[in-house]
Amino acid sequence: MDRIDALRLLLDVAAAGSFSGAARQRGLATSTVASAVSQLEQECGVALMARSTRRLVLTHEGQVLLAEARRIVADWDAALSGLKDQGALVGPIRLTTTNDFGRSQLRPLLDTFQARHPKLRLSLLLSDSTLDLIGGQIDLAIRTGPLVDSGLHARLLVRGERLVCAAPAYWARHGKPAHPRELVAHNCIVLARPDAPLAAWPFREDGKAFSVKVSGDREASDGGLLREWALEGHGVILKNRWDVSQDLAEGRLQTALDGFAAGHIDLFAVYAGHPPSRRVAALVEHLAAALAP
């Protein structure tokens, strides 16, 4: 077995947590997968995996090789795609995005993409926290900007903005604020994070940025739950336009303070390999076309 194929199997074993799981995915014998990893260990001169009570886990050296393996395999696939840009897209794509966007916007786009390319295996990880692409063996992340300088590569998918919004029934009961500072008198529903809730909402007035510290009777780590509470009339939320565009169009939510928007909050496709694999590049193109205004 050549090194590229052995590295592919290493990636599969790390994702599946076992030789047998990787073998089932590839339609190979378990012994073939184990032999490929053993071959890599012999070449490296170190153990790459250790067995825990339930699954195989990577050693430190295994983690280092895994990160390099993802880059090497992605670069190899991209190089081949320049010579062989026809034929079916095959293989796994692991991607991550936020809870609300993943459920309401991304999922149907992935369904359409997979219907066109049935030999792909998609794995969607939803989290309102920023996941480590390399450490988490993730091919693609859909993230809002501005992005930190991480050495990753990004492509702008769509420009957007943050909107203050609530259900019409809430505004009818409490009135719409005329200035962001009036939000301190409103029940604002905020996104919870492990260190602190995102309770400082950004705004801009006369070209100057400022923030307002808001509070309310509930918070959650899932942006989709914030949206559901707002739809039920429980309070005010700050959401990206693409998360609530359908709710606004159908009148389930209404905005306030539009003249104080803090500027663009853009949506990016972020990936570690450059160029990305052919299948990841195809997915990014699909998303860019579907999300274009």
Side-chain angles (χ1 to χ4, degrees):
M1 180 175 295
D2 65 34
R3 290 185 179 88
I4 295 293
D5 287 338
L7 291 175
R8 290 188 198 278
L9 290 179
L10 176 67
L11 296 174
D12 289 344
V13 172
S18 66
F19 294 142
S20 59
R24 283 193 299 272
Q25 291 178 5
R26 292 284 182 178
L28 300 172
T30 301
S31 59
T32 300
V33 177
S35 176
V37 174
S38 176
Q39 171 189 328
L40 291 173
E41 289 180 323
Q42 290 176 14
E43 291 194 42
C44 296
V46 294
L48 300 176
M49 293 189 170
R51 183 177 295 278
S52 71
T53 55
R54 292 188 176 183
R55 57 184 283 143
L56 293 173
V57 294
L58 292 168
T59 63
H60 170 73
E61 291 78 9
Q63 291 281 4
V64 172
L65 181 60
L66 187 73
E68 289 300 314
R70 294 189 66 80
R71 180 188 60 79
I72 292 168
V73 170
D75 288 349
W76 177 253
D77 287 343
L80 288 184
S81 70
L83 303 174
K84 187 175 60 178
D85 57 1
Q86 303 296 321
L89 297 178
V90 179
I93 301 179
R94 284 169 56 83
L95 68 157
T96 182
T97 193
T98 58
N99 287 282
D100 200 6
F101 181 76
R103 293 190 185 99
S104 64
Q105 304 291 328
L106 184 59
R107 187 198 61 79
L109 300 182
L110 293 180
D111 290 344
T112 302
F113 184 71
Q114 194 160 28
R116 295 177 184 171
H117 307 287
K119 293 186 178 181
L120 290 176
R121 303 193 307 276
L122 300 182
S123 177
L124 177 59
L125 310 174
L126 297 181
S127 175
D128 287 324
S129 299
T130 301
L131 302 184
D132 178 8
L133 267 62
I134 295 176
Q137 307 165 42
I138 300 170
D139 299 296
L140 179 66
I142 309 301
R143 292 177 177 168
T144 56
L147 302 173
V148 298
D149 184 8
S150 61
L152 301 174
H153 304 276
R155 172 174 171 176
L156 176 65
L157 295 176
V158 62
R159 292 195 178 277
E161 57 188 339
R162 294 186 182 95
L163 302 173
V164 173
C165 49
Y170 178 89
W171 294 135
R173 292 194 307 271
H174 302 282
K176 288 188 178 183
H179 190 277
R181 292 190 179 89
E182 296 178 17
L183 288 171
V184 297
H186 284 266
N187 193 51
C188 295
I189 307 172
V190 300
L191 186 67
R193 290 289 175 86
D195 49 352
L198 297 181
W201 289 4
F203 297 97
R204 184 173 293 274
E205 183 177 21
D206 298 328
K208 296 181 179 179
F210 67 100
S211 63
V212 174
K213 186 173 179 58
V214 301
S215 62
D217 63 4
R218 61 192 71 196
E219 61 184 50
S221 61
D222 184 334
L225 182 54
L226 305 188
R227 174 175 157 270
E228 291 174 11
W229 278 334
L231 289 169
E232 294 168 1
H234 295 297
V236 184
I237 56 173
L238 182 69
K239 292 290 285 182
N240 301 318
R241 178 178 290 277
W242 50 75
D243 284 337
V244 294
S245 58
Q246 195 67 27
D247 299 317
L248 295 173
E250 297 179 5
R252 294 189 294 267
L253 292 176
Q254 294 176 352
T255 62
L257 304 172
D258 293 350
F260 297 90
H264 287 296
I265 179 75
D266 300 327
L267 192 68
F268 293 89
V270 181
Y271 46 89
H274 185 72
S277 68
R278 180 172 165 241
R279 57 187 179 275
V280 170
L283 176 55
V284 171
E285 290 295 335
H286 172 74
L287 296 178
L291 295 170

